[in-house]
Structure formats: C-alpha cells, structure tokens
Amino acid sequence: MIELIEEIRHGAMAETLSKTDATLADCRAAILRMNGTDRSLVSMRQGELTVLVGGGAGQYIVTAEDHISIRNLLQQRPEQDEADTIDVTVGGQAVDYPAYYVVNVEMVWAAILECLAVNEASERKELEWEEMRK
C-alpha cells in the first residue's frame, strides 16, 4: 500500500491532498500534475521508505529515504560540472540545485518503479543514486 501526499501552494499557505491507498497510477498522475509553481512537491510512502519528488514542468529532484539512508537520484551524465546549477522550485521554494540532481519525468517514473514497485521489473532502467548513510 502506498500513501500519496500532494502539496498545493496558495501563496505562502499550502494545502495537502492525501491518499492512503494510492496505486502506481495515482502516483504517476500526481507527478504529471506537478507544474513547478503551485504544485511542486509530492511524497509517496510505503512502509519505512519515503520517496519525495520536487519540481515539475520537466525538471525534477528525487530523494528516497528509509531508516538506513537518504538517496538522491542523479542524472546519468558524469560530464556535468558541479558549478552548473538549475533553479527548481520544491515546496514553493526556489533552489539552485547542482544540474546533476535535476532529472526528467521519465527518470522520476523509473525511480518510483525501482523504489515502490517490486513487480514492475520490465519497466525499470538502470539508475544512479547518491547515497548518504544515516
């Protein structure tokens, strides 16, 4: 069972929509609704694992966290310079992220499948994560 939480910004205030029995289709629809302005944060929780997706409109940040580690999804472009940044709005806050953290919606979906969908191996692709142990 997946718990899905979508944040909708109304200026300085935020409204949350929560669904405790979400499907993968619900998660995909929530990601596709992200526009990088008033809808820029979605979280999905399954057991001890939480996947946070920030951004929208083609530029996303993905973080997966459990009781052991925090993992950030990385672009598969090692030639990215650490000084290259991209402005992405997450939860109503604009942040300059290193470009290698900013991924497209296809990579977001692949990360969700890797983290939450044990039986969807046919749609998976190789992903690179930065992992920090707690």
Side-chain angles (χ1 to χ4, degrees):
M1 184 177 313
I2 301 169
E3 178 182 6
L4 171 67
I5 300 171
E6 294 180 73
E7 181 181 276
I8 304 168
R9 304 291 306 180
H10 303 286
M13 303 298 290
E15 168 189 2
T16 57
L17 304 177
S18 180
K19 185 171 186 175
T20 57
D21 59 348
T23 64
L24 287 172
D26 294 328
C27 295
R28 186 178 191 101
I31 298 304
L32 294 175
R33 284 192 289 272
M34 295 177 72
N35 59 20
T37 55
D38 63 325
R39 289 178 176 258
S40 63
L41 184 61
V42 170
S43 65
M44 292 145 279
R45 184 176 312 149
Q46 186 175 57
E48 293 184 12
L49 176 69
T50 300
V51 179
L52 299 167
V53 180
Q59 297 181 320
Y60 303 87
I61 304 296
V62 180
T63 300
E65 181 175 356
D66 61 20
H67 68 286
I68 298 171
S69 66
I70 299 170
R71 297 182 299 150
N72 295 309
L73 184 61
L74 301 174
Q75 273 191 44
Q76 295 176 332
R77 295 184 193 158
E79 70 273 6
Q80 288 283 347
D81 184 347
E82 288 193 28
D84 291 341
T85 62
I86 298 175
D87 186 46
V88 179
T89 298
V90 176
Q93 299 296 309
V95 178
D96 283 330
Y97 285 95
Y100 54 83
Y101 286 129
V102 181
V103 299
N104 62 29
V105 72
E106 290 82 13
M107 288 186 72
V108 172
W109 185 241
I112 290 169
L113 289 178
E114 181 176 304
C115 293
L116 302 177
V118 177
N119 298 320
E120 303 291 330
S122 64
E123 291 188 48
R124 288 190 189 162
K125 62 186 198 178
E126 285 292 316
L127 298 175
E128 185 177 345
W129 297 86
E130 169 189 69
E131 183 172 0
M132 295 160 283
R133 306 285 286 178
K134 288 185 173 180

Short mmCIF file of all heavy atoms in Angstrom, two decimals, residues 36-105:
data_model
loop_
_atom_site.label_atom_id
_atom_site.label_comp_id
_atom_site.label_asym_id
_atom_site.label_seq_id
_atom_site.Cartn_x
_atom_site.Cartn_y
_atom_site.Cartn_z
N GLY A 36 5.76 22.87 -11.12
CA GLY A 36 6.90 23.68 -10.71
C GLY A 36 6.55 25.03 -10.12
O GLY A 36 7.43 25.83 -9.82
N THR A 37 5.28 25.29 -9.92
CA THR A 37 4.85 26.54 -9.29
C THR A 37 3.97 26.20 -8.08
O THR A 37 4.49 26.01 -6.99
CB THR A 37 4.13 27.48 -10.28
OG1 THR A 37 3.04 26.79 -10.89
CG2 THR A 37 5.08 27.97 -11.36
N ASP A 38 2.65 26.12 -8.27
CA ASP A 38 1.78 25.82 -7.13
C ASP A 38 1.73 24.33 -6.81
O ASP A 38 1.30 23.94 -5.73
CB ASP A 38 0.38 26.38 -7.34
CG ASP A 38 -0.35 25.76 -8.52
OD1 ASP A 38 0.30 25.45 -9.53
OD2 ASP A 38 -1.58 25.59 -8.44
N ARG A 39 2.19 23.48 -7.70
CA ARG A 39 2.30 22.03 -7.45
C ARG A 39 3.74 21.63 -7.69
O ARG A 39 4.14 21.38 -8.83
CB ARG A 39 1.36 21.24 -8.36
CG ARG A 39 -0.10 21.39 -8.01
CD ARG A 39 -0.97 20.60 -8.98
NE ARG A 39 -2.35 20.65 -8.63
CZ ARG A 39 -3.01 19.66 -8.02
NH1 ARG A 39 -2.39 18.55 -7.70
NH2 ARG A 39 -4.29 19.79 -7.73
N SER A 40 4.53 21.62 -6.60
CA SER A 40 5.96 21.35 -6.77
C SER A 40 6.52 20.35 -5.76
O SER A 40 7.74 20.22 -5.63
CB SER A 40 6.75 22.67 -6.69
OG SER A 40 6.59 23.26 -5.41
N LEU A 41 5.63 19.63 -5.05
CA LEU A 41 6.11 18.64 -4.10
C LEU A 41 5.10 17.50 -3.96
O LEU A 41 3.91 17.75 -3.71
CB LEU A 41 6.36 19.27 -2.73
CG LEU A 41 6.95 18.38 -1.65
CD1 LEU A 41 8.33 17.85 -2.07
CD2 LEU A 41 7.03 19.12 -0.33
N VAL A 42 5.58 16.27 -4.14
CA VAL A 42 4.77 15.07 -3.98
C VAL A 42 5.60 14.08 -3.18
O VAL A 42 6.81 13.93 -3.42
CB VAL A 42 4.39 14.45 -5.35
CG1 VAL A 42 3.77 13.07 -5.19
CG2 VAL A 42 3.44 15.37 -6.10
N SER A 43 4.98 13.42 -2.22
CA SER A 43 5.69 12.36 -1.50
C SER A 43 4.87 11.08 -1.54
O SER A 43 3.64 11.11 -1.57
CB SER A 43 5.99 12.77 -0.05
OG SER A 43 4.81 12.93 0.68
N MET A 44 5.59 9.97 -1.59
CA MET A 44 4.98 8.65 -1.60
C MET A 44 5.66 7.83 -0.51
O MET A 44 6.89 7.79 -0.46
CB MET A 44 5.18 7.97 -2.96
CG MET A 44 4.39 8.66 -4.06
SD MET A 44 5.26 8.64 -5.64
CE MET A 44 6.38 10.01 -5.42
N ARG A 45 4.87 7.19 0.34
CA ARG A 45 5.42 6.41 1.43
C ARG A 45 4.89 4.98 1.33
O ARG A 45 3.70 4.75 1.14
CB ARG A 45 5.03 7.01 2.77
CG ARG A 45 5.65 6.28 3.95
CD ARG A 45 5.34 6.95 5.26
NE ARG A 45 5.60 8.38 5.16
CZ ARG A 45 4.93 9.30 5.83
NH1 ARG A 45 3.96 8.97 6.63
NH2 ARG A 45 5.22 10.58 5.69
N GLN A 46 5.82 4.04 1.48
CA GLN A 46 5.46 2.62 1.52
C GLN A 46 6.34 1.97 2.59
O GLN A 46 7.56 1.91 2.44
CB GLN A 46 5.70 1.98 0.16
CG GLN A 46 5.21 0.54 0.06
CD GLN A 46 5.37 0.02 -1.35
OE1 GLN A 46 6.46 0.03 -1.88
NE2 GLN A 46 4.28 -0.41 -1.95
N GLY A 47 5.71 1.55 3.67
CA GLY A 47 6.48 1.01 4.79
C GLY A 47 7.40 2.08 5.34
O GLY A 47 6.98 3.19 5.63
N GLU A 48 8.70 1.74 5.47
CA GLU A 48 9.68 2.68 6.01
C GLU A 48 10.31 3.56 4.94
O GLU A 48 11.16 4.39 5.25
CB GLU A 48 10.78 1.91 6.74
CG GLU A 48 10.28 1.21 7.99
CD GLU A 48 11.41 0.54 8.75
OE1 GLU A 48 12.59 0.80 8.46
OE2 GLU A 48 11.09 -0.24 9.65
N LEU A 49 9.92 3.38 3.70
CA LEU A 49 10.52 4.13 2.59
C LEU A 49 9.63 5.30 2.19
O LEU A 49 8.43 5.14 1.98
CB LEU A 49 10.73 3.22 1.39
CG LEU A 49 11.27 3.91 0.13
CD1 LEU A 49 12.71 4.36 0.33
CD2 LEU A 49 11.16 2.97 -1.05
N THR A 50 10.23 6.49 2.06
CA THR A 50 9.54 7.66 1.54
C THR A 50 10.29 8.15 0.31
O THR A 50 11.52 8.29 0.35
CB THR A 50 9.48 8.80 2.59
OG1 THR A 50 8.79 8.32 3.74
CG2 THR A 50 8.76 10.02 2.04
N VAL A 51 9.55 8.41 -0.76
CA VAL A 51 10.12 8.99 -1.98
C VAL A 51 9.54 10.38 -2.13
O VAL A 51 8.31 10.55 -2.16
CB VAL A 51 9.80 8.14 -3.23
CG1 VAL A 51 10.38 8.79 -4.48
CG2 VAL A 51 10.31 6.72 -3.06
N LEU A 52 10.41 11.39 -2.18
CA LEU A 52 9.99 12.78 -2.37
C LEU A 52 10.36 13.22 -3.78
O LEU A 52 11.49 12.98 -4.22
CB LEU A 52 10.70 13.70 -1.37
CG LEU A 52 10.43 13.42 0.10
CD1 LEU A 52 11.43 14.16 0.97
CD2 LEU A 52 9.03 13.81 0.45
N VAL A 53 9.42 13.85 -4.46
CA VAL A 53 9.67 14.39 -5.79
C VAL A 53 9.35 15.87 -5.74
O VAL A 53 8.25 16.27 -5.34
CB VAL A 53 8.80 13.70 -6.87
CG1 VAL A 53 9.09 14.28 -8.24
CG2 VAL A 53 9.04 12.19 -6.86
N GLY A 54 10.31 16.68 -6.14
CA GLY A 54 10.12 18.12 -6.17
C GLY A 54 10.30 18.66 -7.57
O GLY A 54 10.93 18.02 -8.41
N GLY A 55 9.72 19.83 -7.83
CA GLY A 55 9.87 20.47 -9.13
C GLY A 55 8.62 20.36 -9.96
O GLY A 55 7.51 20.49 -9.47
N GLY A 56 8.81 20.10 -11.24
CA GLY A 56 7.70 19.98 -12.18
C GLY A 56 8.05 20.60 -13.51
O GLY A 56 9.13 21.18 -13.68
N ALA A 57 7.16 20.44 -14.46
CA ALA A 57 7.33 21.02 -15.80
C ALA A 57 8.66 20.62 -16.44
O ALA A 57 9.35 21.43 -17.02
CB ALA A 57 7.18 22.55 -15.75
N GLY A 58 9.01 19.33 -16.28
CA GLY A 58 10.19 18.81 -16.95
C GLY A 58 11.48 18.82 -16.16
O GLY A 58 12.47 18.26 -16.60
N GLN A 59 11.47 19.42 -14.97
CA GLN A 59 12.68 19.47 -14.14
C GLN A 59 12.32 19.02 -12.73
O GLN A 59 11.54 19.68 -12.04
CB GLN A 59 13.26 20.88 -14.10
CG GLN A 59 13.73 21.36 -15.46
CD GLN A 59 14.33 22.74 -15.39
OE1 GLN A 59 13.82 23.61 -14.68
NE2 GLN A 59 15.41 22.94 -16.12
N TYR A 60 12.90 17.89 -12.31
CA TYR A 60 12.53 17.27 -11.05
C TYR A 60 13.75 16.91 -10.23
O TYR A 60 14.83 16.65 -10.76
CB TYR A 60 11.73 15.99 -11.31
CG TYR A 60 10.50 16.21 -12.14
CD1 TYR A 60 10.58 16.16 -13.53
CD2 TYR A 60 9.28 16.46 -11.55
CE1 TYR A 60 9.45 16.37 -14.31
CE2 TYR A 60 8.14 16.67 -12.33
CZ TYR A 60 8.24 16.63 -13.70
OH TYR A 60 7.14 16.84 -14.47
N ILE A 61 13.54 16.82 -8.92
CA ILE A 61 14.51 16.34 -7.96
C ILE A 61 13.86 15.14 -7.27
O ILE A 61 12.69 15.22 -6.89
CB ILE A 61 14.82 17.41 -6.89
CG1 ILE A 61 15.29 18.71 -7.52
CG2 ILE A 61 15.81 16.89 -5.85
CD1 ILE A 61 16.59 18.62 -8.27
N VAL A 62 14.58 14.03 -7.10
CA VAL A 62 14.02 12.84 -6.45
C VAL A 62 14.93 12.43 -5.29
O VAL A 62 16.14 12.27 -5.47
CB VAL A 62 13.89 11.66 -7.43
CG1 VAL A 62 13.31 10.44 -6.73
CG2 VAL A 62 13.03 12.04 -8.62
N THR A 63 14.32 12.25 -4.12
CA THR A 63 15.03 11.78 -2.93
C THR A 63 14.26 10.61 -2.35
O THR A 63 13.03 10.67 -2.23
CB THR A 63 15.14 12.90 -1.87
OG1 THR A 63 15.85 13.99 -2.43
CG2 THR A 63 15.85 12.42 -0.62
N ALA A 64 14.96 9.54 -2.01
CA ALA A 64 14.36 8.38 -1.35
C ALA A 64 15.02 8.23 0.01
O ALA A 64 16.25 8.30 0.13
CB ALA A 64 14.58 7.13 -2.19
N GLU A 65 14.20 8.03 1.04
CA GLU A 65 14.73 7.93 2.39
C GLU A 65 14.10 6.77 3.13
O GLU A 65 12.88 6.57 3.06
CB GLU A 65 14.46 9.24 3.15
CG GLU A 65 15.01 9.25 4.55
CD GLU A 65 14.85 10.58 5.25
OE1 GLU A 65 14.38 11.55 4.63
OE2 GLU A 65 15.23 10.65 6.44
N ASP A 66 14.93 6.02 3.83
CA ASP A 66 14.44 4.98 4.73
C ASP A 66 15.22 5.08 6.04
O ASP A 66 15.92 6.07 6.26
CB ASP A 66 14.54 3.59 4.10
CG ASP A 66 15.95 3.18 3.74
OD1 ASP A 66 16.92 3.76 4.28
OD2 ASP A 66 16.11 2.28 2.90
N HIS A 67 15.12 4.09 6.89
CA HIS A 67 15.78 4.17 8.20
C HIS A 67 17.30 4.01 8.12
O HIS A 67 17.99 4.29 9.08
CB HIS A 67 15.18 3.12 9.15
CG HIS A 67 15.49 1.71 8.77
ND1 HIS A 67 14.89 1.09 7.71
CD2 HIS A 67 16.36 0.82 9.29
CE1 HIS A 67 15.37 -0.13 7.60
NE2 HIS A 67 16.26 -0.33 8.54
N ILE A 68 17.82 3.63 6.96
CA ILE A 68 19.26 3.40 6.80
C ILE A 68 19.96 4.53 6.07
O ILE A 68 21.07 4.92 6.41
CB ILE A 68 19.51 2.07 6.05
CG1 ILE A 68 18.97 0.91 6.87
CG2 ILE A 68 20.99 1.88 5.74
CD1 ILE A 68 18.98 -0.42 6.14
N SER A 69 19.30 5.07 5.02
CA SER A 69 19.99 6.04 4.18
C SER A 69 19.04 7.03 3.52
O SER A 69 17.82 6.85 3.52
CB SER A 69 20.78 5.31 3.09
OG SER A 69 19.89 4.66 2.20
N ILE A 70 19.67 8.07 2.95
CA ILE A 70 18.99 9.03 2.10
C ILE A 70 19.68 8.93 0.74
O ILE A 70 20.91 8.98 0.67
CB ILE A 70 19.12 10.47 2.65
CG1 ILE A 70 18.47 10.56 4.03
CG2 ILE A 70 18.49 11.47 1.68
CD1 ILE A 70 18.75 11.86 4.75
N ARG A 71 18.88 8.77 -0.32
CA ARG A 71 19.45 8.65 -1.66
C ARG A 71 18.88 9.73 -2.57
O ARG A 71 17.67 9.98 -2.56
CB ARG A 71 19.12 7.28 -2.28
CG ARG A 71 19.73 6.13 -1.51
CD ARG A 71 19.43 4.80 -2.17
NE ARG A 71 18.00 4.55 -2.22
CZ ARG A 71 17.39 3.84 -3.17
NH1 ARG A 71 18.07 3.31 -4.14
NH2 ARG A 71 16.10 3.65 -3.11
N ASN A 72 19.74 10.38 -3.34
CA ASN A 72 19.33 11.37 -4.32
C ASN A 72 19.57 10.81 -5.71
O ASN A 72 20.67 10.34 -6.01
CB ASN A 72 20.14 12.67 -4.16
CG ASN A 72 19.86 13.33 -2.84
OD1 ASN A 72 18.72 13.55 -2.47
ND2 ASN A 72 20.91 13.63 -2.10
N LEU A 73 18.55 10.88 -6.55
CA LEU A 73 18.68 10.40 -7.92
C LEU A 73 19.59 11.34 -8.70
O LEU A 73 19.50 12.56 -8.56
CB LEU A 73 17.29 10.35 -8.59
CG LEU A 73 17.24 9.78 -10.00
CD1 LEU A 73 17.72 8.33 -10.05
CD2 LEU A 73 15.83 9.89 -10.55
N LEU A 74 20.47 10.76 -9.50
CA LEU A 74 21.42 11.54 -10.29
C LEU A 74 21.17 11.34 -11.77
O LEU A 74 20.81 10.25 -12.21
CB LEU A 74 22.86 11.11 -9.99
CG LEU A 74 23.32 11.23 -8.55
CD1 LEU A 74 24.70 10.62 -8.39
CD2 LEU A 74 23.32 12.68 -8.11
N GLN A 75 21.40 12.41 -12.53
CA GLN A 75 21.42 12.28 -13.99
C GLN A 75 22.55 11.35 -14.36
O GLN A 75 23.55 11.29 -13.66
CB GLN A 75 21.73 13.63 -14.65
CG GLN A 75 20.56 14.49 -14.91
CD GLN A 75 21.00 15.64 -15.80
OE1 GLN A 75 21.72 15.45 -16.77
NE2 GLN A 75 20.55 16.82 -15.45
N GLN A 76 22.42 10.69 -15.46
CA GLN A 76 23.49 9.81 -15.90
C GLN A 76 24.39 10.53 -16.89
O GLN A 76 24.66 10.06 -17.98
CB GLN A 76 22.91 8.53 -16.48
CG GLN A 76 22.17 7.75 -15.42
CD GLN A 76 21.51 6.53 -15.95
OE1 GLN A 76 21.12 6.46 -17.10
NE2 GLN A 76 21.37 5.54 -15.11
N ARG A 77 24.84 11.70 -16.49
CA ARG A 77 25.74 12.50 -17.31
C ARG A 77 26.92 12.92 -16.46
O ARG A 77 26.93 14.01 -15.88
CB ARG A 77 25.03 13.74 -17.84
CG ARG A 77 23.92 13.42 -18.79
CD ARG A 77 23.35 14.69 -19.35
NE ARG A 77 22.10 14.40 -20.01
CZ ARG A 77 21.17 15.27 -20.23
NH1 ARG A 77 21.32 16.51 -19.84
NH2 ARG A 77 20.07 14.94 -20.86
N PRO A 78 27.93 12.09 -16.32
CA PRO A 78 29.04 12.43 -15.43
C PRO A 78 29.82 13.66 -15.87
O PRO A 78 30.60 14.20 -15.10
CB PRO A 78 29.92 11.18 -15.46
CG PRO A 78 29.50 10.44 -16.67
CD PRO A 78 28.07 10.82 -16.96
N GLU A 79 29.61 14.14 -17.09
CA GLU A 79 30.36 15.31 -17.55
C GLU A 79 29.82 16.62 -16.96
O GLU A 79 30.40 17.67 -17.17
CB GLU A 79 30.36 15.38 -19.09
CG GLU A 79 29.02 15.73 -19.72
CD GLU A 79 28.11 14.52 -19.97
OE1 GLU A 79 28.46 13.41 -19.57
OE2 GLU A 79 27.05 14.71 -20.56
N GLN A 80 28.72 16.56 -16.20
CA GLN A 80 28.17 17.77 -15.59
C GLN A 80 29.17 18.36 -14.61
O GLN A 80 29.73 17.67 -13.76
CB GLN A 80 26.88 17.45 -14.84
CG GLN A 80 25.70 17.16 -15.73
CD GLN A 80 25.11 18.41 -16.34
OE1 GLN A 80 25.40 19.52 -15.94
NE2 GLN A 80 24.27 18.22 -17.33
N ASP A 81 29.42 19.65 -14.72
CA ASP A 81 30.29 20.37 -13.81
C ASP A 81 29.51 20.66 -12.52
O ASP A 81 28.33 21.02 -12.56
CB ASP A 81 30.72 21.68 -14.46
CG ASP A 81 31.72 22.48 -13.64
OD1 ASP A 81 31.91 22.16 -12.46
OD2 ASP A 81 32.29 23.41 -14.22
N GLU A 82 30.15 20.51 -11.38
CA GLU A 82 29.48 20.77 -10.11
C GLU A 82 29.03 22.22 -9.98
O GLU A 82 28.14 22.53 -9.20
CB GLU A 82 30.38 20.38 -8.94
CG GLU A 82 30.51 18.88 -8.80
CD GLU A 82 31.12 18.48 -7.48
OE1 GLU A 82 30.97 19.22 -6.49
OE2 GLU A 82 31.73 17.42 -7.44
N ALA A 83 29.65 23.12 -10.72
CA ALA A 83 29.27 24.53 -10.66
C ALA A 83 28.00 24.82 -11.45
O ALA A 83 27.37 25.86 -11.23
CB ALA A 83 30.41 25.40 -11.17
N ASP A 84 27.61 23.93 -12.36
CA ASP A 84 26.39 24.12 -13.14
C ASP A 84 25.19 23.90 -12.23
O ASP A 84 25.06 22.86 -11.59
CB ASP A 84 26.31 23.13 -14.30
CG ASP A 84 27.35 23.40 -15.38
OD1 ASP A 84 27.87 24.53 -15.43
OD2 ASP A 84 27.63 22.47 -16.15
N THR A 85 24.30 24.91 -12.15
CA THR A 85 23.10 24.78 -11.32
C THR A 85 21.86 25.06 -12.15
O THR A 85 21.92 25.72 -13.19
CB THR A 85 23.14 25.74 -10.12
OG1 THR A 85 23.17 27.09 -10.59
CG2 THR A 85 24.33 25.46 -9.22
N ILE A 86 20.74 24.53 -11.67
CA ILE A 86 19.43 24.75 -12.30
C ILE A 86 18.47 25.15 -11.19
O ILE A 86 18.41 24.51 -10.14
CB ILE A 86 18.94 23.49 -13.02
CG1 ILE A 86 19.91 23.10 -14.15
CG2 ILE A 86 17.52 23.70 -13.58
CD1 ILE A 86 19.58 21.79 -14.85
N ASP A 87 17.70 26.20 -11.43
CA ASP A 87 16.71 26.68 -10.47
C ASP A 87 15.47 25.81 -10.55
O ASP A 87 14.83 25.73 -11.60
CB ASP A 87 16.36 28.14 -10.78
CG ASP A 87 15.47 28.75 -9.74
OD1 ASP A 87 15.74 28.58 -8.55
OD2 ASP A 87 14.48 29.41 -10.13
N VAL A 88 15.15 25.12 -9.46
CA VAL A 88 13.98 24.25 -9.38
C VAL A 88 13.19 24.64 -8.15
O VAL A 88 13.76 24.80 -7.06
CB VAL A 88 14.38 22.76 -9.31
CG1 VAL A 88 13.15 21.87 -9.20
CG2 VAL A 88 15.21 22.36 -10.51
N THR A 89 11.89 24.79 -8.29
CA THR A 89 11.03 25.11 -7.15
C THR A 89 10.52 23.81 -6.53
O THR A 89 9.96 22.96 -7.23
CB THR A 89 9.84 25.98 -7.58
OG1 THR A 89 10.36 27.21 -8.09
CG2 THR A 89 8.91 26.27 -6.42
N VAL A 90 10.76 23.66 -5.23
CA VAL A 90 10.33 22.48 -4.48
C VAL A 90 9.59 22.97 -3.25
O VAL A 90 10.15 23.71 -2.43
CB VAL A 90 11.54 21.62 -4.07
CG1 VAL A 90 11.10 20.45 -3.20
CG2 VAL A 90 12.29 21.13 -5.30
N GLY A 91 8.32 22.59 -3.13
CA GLY A 91 7.54 23.02 -1.98
C GLY A 91 7.39 24.52 -1.87
O GLY A 91 7.35 25.08 -0.79
N GLY A 92 7.35 25.20 -3.02
CA GLY A 92 7.17 26.64 -3.04
C GLY A 92 8.46 27.44 -2.90
O GLY A 92 8.44 28.66 -2.95
N GLN A 93 9.59 26.76 -2.71
CA GLN A 93 10.87 27.44 -2.53
C GLN A 93 11.77 27.19 -3.74
O GLN A 93 12.02 26.04 -4.09
CB GLN A 93 11.59 26.92 -1.28
CG GLN A 93 10.82 27.16 -0.01
CD GLN A 93 10.65 28.63 0.29
OE1 GLN A 93 11.61 29.39 0.28
NE2 GLN A 93 9.43 29.05 0.57
N ALA A 94 12.24 28.26 -4.36
CA ALA A 94 13.17 28.13 -5.49
C ALA A 94 14.57 27.88 -4.94
O ALA A 94 15.03 28.57 -4.04
CB ALA A 94 13.16 29.40 -6.33
N VAL A 95 15.22 26.85 -5.49
CA VAL A 95 16.56 26.46 -5.04
C VAL A 95 17.42 26.22 -6.27
O VAL A 95 16.96 25.64 -7.26
CB VAL A 95 16.49 25.16 -4.19
CG1 VAL A 95 17.87 24.71 -3.77
CG2 VAL A 95 15.59 25.35 -2.98
N ASP A 96 18.67 26.64 -6.20
CA ASP A 96 19.64 26.32 -7.25
C ASP A 96 20.26 24.97 -6.92
O ASP A 96 21.09 24.87 -6.01
CB ASP A 96 20.75 27.38 -7.33
CG ASP A 96 20.30 28.64 -8.02
OD1 ASP A 96 19.43 28.55 -8.90
OD2 ASP A 96 20.82 29.71 -7.69
N TYR A 97 19.84 23.93 -7.65
CA TYR A 97 20.37 22.59 -7.45
C TYR A 97 21.52 22.35 -8.42
O TYR A 97 21.47 22.82 -9.56
CB TYR A 97 19.30 21.53 -7.72
CG TYR A 97 18.29 21.41 -6.62
CD1 TYR A 97 17.09 22.11 -6.69
CD2 TYR A 97 18.51 20.59 -5.53
CE1 TYR A 97 16.14 21.99 -5.68
CE2 TYR A 97 17.57 20.47 -4.52
CZ TYR A 97 16.40 21.17 -4.60
OH TYR A 97 15.47 21.06 -3.61
N PRO A 98 22.53 21.59 -8.00
CA PRO A 98 23.52 21.15 -8.98
C PRO A 98 22.80 20.44 -10.13
O PRO A 98 21.86 19.67 -9.91
CB PRO A 98 24.40 20.18 -8.20
CG PRO A 98 24.25 20.64 -6.77
CD PRO A 98 22.82 21.10 -6.66
N ALA A 99 23.20 20.73 -11.34
CA ALA A 99 22.50 20.21 -12.52
C ALA A 99 22.40 18.69 -12.53
O ALA A 99 21.43 18.15 -13.06
CB ALA A 99 23.18 20.72 -13.79
N TYR A 100 23.35 18.01 -11.93
CA TYR A 100 23.31 16.55 -11.97
C TYR A 100 22.21 15.95 -11.10
O TYR A 100 21.93 14.77 -11.19
CB TYR A 100 24.68 15.93 -11.64
CG TYR A 100 25.31 16.39 -10.35
CD1 TYR A 100 24.97 15.81 -9.14
CD2 TYR A 100 26.26 17.40 -10.35
CE1 TYR A 100 25.54 16.23 -7.95
CE2 TYR A 100 26.85 17.82 -9.17
CZ TYR A 100 26.49 17.23 -7.98
OH TYR A 100 27.07 17.65 -6.80
N TYR A 101 21.55 16.75 -10.26
CA TYR A 101 20.39 16.29 -9.49
C TYR A 101 19.07 16.44 -10.26
O TYR A 101 18.07 15.88 -9.87
CB TYR A 101 20.24 17.06 -8.18
CG TYR A 101 21.22 16.73 -7.11
CD1 TYR A 101 21.94 17.73 -6.48
CD2 TYR A 101 21.43 15.42 -6.68
CE1 TYR A 101 22.84 17.45 -5.47
CE2 TYR A 101 22.33 15.12 -5.67
CZ TYR A 101 23.03 16.14 -5.07
OH TYR A 101 23.92 15.86 -4.07
N VAL A 102 19.05 17.25 -11.28
CA VAL A 102 17.81 17.58 -11.99
C VAL A 102 17.57 16.56 -13.09
O VAL A 102 18.40 16.40 -13.99
CB VAL A 102 17.86 19.02 -12.54
CG1 VAL A 102 16.55 19.36 -13.25
CG2 VAL A 102 18.14 20.01 -11.42
N VAL A 103 16.42 15.87 -13.01
CA VAL A 103 16.10 14.78 -13.93
C VAL A 103 14.78 15.04 -14.63
O VAL A 103 13.99 15.89 -14.21
CB VAL A 103 16.07 13.43 -13.19
CG1 VAL A 103 17.42 13.11 -12.56
CG2 VAL A 103 14.97 13.40 -12.13
N ASN A 104 14.52 14.28 -15.69
CA ASN A 104 13.26 14.42 -16.42
C ASN A 104 12.20 13.48 -15.85
O ASN A 104 12.48 12.66 -14.97
CB ASN A 104 13.48 14.17 -17.92
CG ASN A 104 13.99 12.77 -18.21
OD1 ASN A 104 13.72 11.81 -17.49
ND2 ASN A 104 14.74 12.63 -19.29
N VAL A 105 10.98 13.59 -16.35
CA VAL A 105 9.87 12.83 -15.79
C VAL A 105 10.04 11.33 -16.02
O VAL A 105 9.59 10.52 -15.19
CB VAL A 105 8.51 13.35 -16.33
CG1 VAL A 105 8.31 12.97 -17.80
CG2 VAL A 105 7.36 12.88 -15.46
#
